[in-house]
Amino acid sequence: MNALEEQIAHLTRTVDDLSDIVARQEREIAVLTRRAQLLMEREAEREAQGGGGIVVGDERPPHY
């Protein structure tokens, strides 16, 4: 009986630890998702303003 109680206590602690980890990861994912969204919005604004062109190494600058 003591062995089962010890195992249940160990498993309960493991579940609590994993729950804390999942909660922390959920917060981190929410922050990273928001940052990615802001970066995508910023890049969309930059492209809309005409400053989002791709620079190719062998392309001559427009002032030539």
Side-chain angles (χ1 to χ4, degrees), residues 32-53:
L32 293 172
T33 300
R34 180 65 182 143
R35 287 180 182 174
Q37 181 181 4
L38 290 171
L39 288 171
M40 290 178 4
E41 289 173 3
R42 186 184 302 169
E43 184 60 25
E45 289 175 8
R46 186 180 305 167
E47 286 181 10
Q49 294 174 355

Side-chain angles (χ1 to χ4, degrees), residues 14-61:
T14 301
V15 169
D16 290 343
D17 291 345
L18 289 174
S19 179
D20 292 342
I21 290 169
V22 169
R24 187 190 77 230
Q25 288 177 339
E26 183 179 11
R27 288 188 302 270
E28 289 175 2
I29 288 170
V31 168
L32 293 172
T33 300
R34 180 65 182 143
R35 287 180 182 174
Q37 181 181 4
L38 290 171
L39 288 171
M40 290 178 4
E41 289 173 3
R42 186 184 302 169
E43 184 60 25
E45 289 175 8
R46 186 180 305 167
E47 286 181 10
Q49 294 174 355
I54 298 173
V55 178
V56 180
D58 62 348
E59 198 175 282
R60 294 186 124 192

Side-chain angles (χ1 to χ4, degrees), residues 6-7 27-28 36 53-54 63-64:
E6 287 177 18
Q7 188 175 11
R27 288 188 302 270
E28 289 175 2
I54 298 173
H63 60 276
Y64 275 93

